[in-house]
Amino acid sequence: MSDLLSLSRQAVADLRGVGPALAARLAQLQIYSIADLLLHLPRSYEDRRSVRPIVSLRAGELALVEGEVLSQRQLSGRRGGMELILRDEGGQLRLRFFHLRPSPWNAPGSRLRVYGEVRAGSALEMLHPEIDKAESALGLRPIYPLVEGLRQDSLRRLMAQALLRLDEDDSHRLDGWSRSAALRYLHQPDADADLALLLQARHPAQLRLIVEELAAQQISLLQHKQQMQQRPAWRLQGDQRLEQALQEQMGFVLTAAQRRVIGEIMHDLGRGQALQRLVQGDVGCGKTAVAACVCAQALQAGWQVALMAPTDLLAEQLYQKLSAWLSPLGYTPAFLSGRTPARARKTLLAELADGSRGLVVGTHALFQADLTFARLGLVIIDEQHRFGVSQRLALRDKAPAAYEAHLLVMTATPIPRTLAMSCYGDLDCSVIDELPPGRRPITTVVMSQNRRPELMQRLRANCQQGRQAYWVCTLIEASEALQAQAAEDCHAELCAALPELRIGLVHGRQSGETKTSVMQAFAAAELDLLVATTVIEVGVDVANATLMIIENPERLGLAQLHQLRGRVGRGRQDSYCVLLYGDPIGARGRQRLALLRQSQDGFFLAEQDLLLRGPGEFFGTRQAGLVQLRLADLQRDAELMSAAQHLATQWLRAAGPQLEACRLLWQGERSRYARA
Ligand code: ADP
Ligand code: MG
């Protein structure tokens, strides 16, 4: 008998019956140790607690029945098979099997117990039910996540063996449940267990483990933060004159919110500990200017700075902004993306390695292993939620071994609190809660496709006044190819309808050069109208664009629509956003779009979006960038988050052995924070 932590050091192959083949299948499920096995929890349960009288069965139910085989008949036809009639005291049930041959156990007169779904054929029947050995115990039967070649029974048998080795440990009771009691219960629930609670993952035994898992996640983020704080980092003294010079280049005065956030960052940079800060700010609040100020200070101090954005388009925009502002001060940035030509890349790599180049702006190409820096002091990541936590850590690892690079993360997607704790628990947070002055609110209009002709008039009028417009095509979960096609069709249609306008097109399937040149033409006002897919979602910044039309907005989340809308309203003119919905969208859809009409508050819209669509959707790809969780579901379990946080601080403070146990068990090999 051992506790779970000791079992995490015992290979699952120690269990009887686990040979190399089975071990390989278990490994596919990330099960290496006996503890991993025990933490592999059922995803569902079957109710096999009682044998049901046949007369009580209803179509659609899953049920266990037992009776005597009354008759047996071979079925003809392509699939062959056999039909048995099963009889109990009160009734008869037809069982159909494919590929079954007569044998003693299914011969008339033998007793049989089966489990399956009851269907209404010409009489009640079960199709290919599972044969339940009459000697197997009645109870709730756990159903585990499987991989090909692994069977529920084999997993259940292994689990029973593993449970025999598991000690009762009373040391970490929460709400009366110890960790091992909870595990034991979930693998082998009592006959009187509340099945409904179990199926909703709301049974106290499940809550016990979910809270611990969430706490473990918090603990590793907080520990990571503490670790970082202990490692030395370069100190930076801000220079007022430099900020002044930069503002002259930018041609505007920083807002109070921008200055406050710059102050918070500079304060951190002066401590000799690594900066770990998240800057949140709604679209258009001027995060780039904040980044530029911090960059300039770091460059003046002789550090190298890497600035990263999630797409080519964004990285390019960022590069141009920084070039315009910083080059006159003597800091000329370099650009690196996946499509930088090999020769240029090689030169740049050499310059970064010997320190002769101070500032590089780029995409995830900055993560590449052969990229090294002589003295990387600051990493800035724009639009963080597109990157994973692990990538954030990887880039930072490029700093010289003795020093930690300062890390600044910027995001325009306000992260609802519950999710923020999960993604950014290791970061301090600053909020830019003010837009630059003179911004006019964006008027949002919800309009049906039927009014397209009217809209064309408006578009024409807008552009004839020398203003520019975006037309955004959306597609749900479609491939990039389909999106591109939709945008191309839309472009052709608009060109035909509005021949007097200069109309450009940008989508994800174009070459990088094409995209860049179209964007440049739009920025230089050589185009009146830009037809685009959602590639322009973030970062694109053209102040003269005052009208945005979003086709089929019902296909996107509120947060994403808000991001898109943020592309207009950047200048001093009145701006408009037209949400051009397609088919009848229903009351719910209309209500959702109405939220956008009413609010321009990104935080409010993000919360609403999370409520309506869940975190997977919220982040685009499912939980991108979040640590994998075994049990917890960030949306379903949001209300457990504060309990988890409480537990995490308590265990961190106590610094007892349970701290390590909890972290190892729940994150173990999966932990992406496990760095020396
Ligand atoms: P975001 O926070 O969405 O990244 P940007 O950094 O792209 O916003 O800034 C939006 C626009 O506002 C840019 O054109 C930028 O130059 C401008 N801007 C930023 N700060 C100010 C300011 N303090 N006053 C006026 N304009 C500003
Ligand atoms: Mg930005």
Side-chain angles (χ1 to χ4, degrees), residues 283-284 286-288 314 318 382-383 410 412 538-540 567 570:
V283 275
K287 291 182 289 295
T288 315
L314 279 174
L318 212 52
D382 198 4
E383 308 299 350
M410 304 195 294
V538 280
V540 173
R567 301 307 109 216
R570 298 190 154 231

Side-chain angles (χ1 to χ4, degrees), residues 227-444:
Q227 252 175 38
M228 288 296 123
Q229 285 169 347
Q230 282 155 14
R231 302 178 59 167
W234 284 315
R235 268 176 209 276
L236 182 59
Q237 208 72 73
D239 176 353
Q240 280 298 315
R241 280 165 314 174
L242 182 60
E243 191 172 305
Q244 201 49 50
L246 189 58
Q247 282 195 57
E248 274 158 31
Q249 291 304 325
M250 297 199 260
F252 50 73
V253 180
L254 294 169
T255 63
Q258 283 171 318
R259 273 212 308 280
R260 174 175 45 76
V261 170
I262 292 170
E264 287 164 3
I265 296 166
M266 294 307 296
H267 172 262
D268 288 358
L269 291 176
R271 286 179 315 185
Q273 283 172 6
L275 164 84
Q276 309 181 72
R277 193 169 278 279
L278 172 71
V279 173
Q280 292 196 53
D282 214 341
V283 275
C285 71
K287 291 182 289 295
T288 315
V290 168
C293 287
V294 178
C295 261
Q297 300 284 0
L299 291 166
Q300 190 179 44
W303 305 354
Q304 285 176 301
V305 179
L307 212 151
M308 190 172 58
T311 64
D312 278 3
L313 205 58
L314 279 174
E316 185 87 38
Q317 287 241 342
L318 212 52
Y319 168 70
Q320 272 160 15
K321 269 251 150 86
L322 292 187
S323 294
W325 291 341
L326 294 173
S327 299
L329 305 180
Y331 306 111
T332 307
F335 183 75
L336 182 71
S337 79
R339 60 187 164 86
T340 303
R343 175 99 62 69
R345 183 174 187 278
K346 198 165 158 219
T347 315
L348 174 59
L349 257 53
E351 292 171 355
L352 292 172
D354 70 16
S356 56
R357 177 71 77 161
L359 174 60
V360 61
V361 180
T363 58
H364 51 266
L366 294 173
F367 291 127
Q368 284 156 356
D370 57 346
L371 204 71
T372 56
F373 291 84
R375 38 173 208 289
L376 180 64
L378 173 65
V379 171
I380 302 180
I381 302 182
D382 198 4
E383 308 299 350
Q384 159 73 11
H385 69 281
R386 300 280 186 97
F387 293 108
V389 174
S390 53
Q391 286 173 309
R392 180 167 100 209
L393 299 178
L395 186 54
R396 195 178 209 177
D397 275 342
K398 294 195 179 289
Y403 285 89
E404 213 41 72
H406 295 281
L407 175 71
L408 186 63
V409 169
M410 304 195 294
T411 178
T413 307
I415 310 290
R417 245 179 72 76
T418 49
L419 291 185
M421 280 189 262
S422 269
C423 328
Y424 300 126
D426 58 338
L427 301 178
D428 299 314
C429 187
S430 290
V431 179
I432 309 181
D433 50 7
E434 180 187 356
L435 292 178
R439 291 282 167 80
R440 315 284 302 256
I442 304 165
T443 309
T444 300

Side-chain angles (χ1 to χ4, degrees), residues 440-455:
R440 315 284 302 256
I442 304 165
T443 309
T444 300
V445 187
V446 181
M447 192 186 274
S448 148
Q449 284 277 9
N450 300 335
R451 289 167 64 192
R452 228 176 150 97
E454 189 185 322
L455 182 61

Side-chain angles (χ1 to χ4, degrees), residues 535-558:
V535 294
I536 62 152
E537 181 186 341
V538 280
V540 173
D541 185 32
V542 178
N544 189 45
T546 54
L547 174 61
M548 164 161 291
I549 294 147
I550 305 176
E551 228 179 322
N552 300 313
E554 67 275 14
R555 293 170 175 172
L556 302 181
L558 292 177

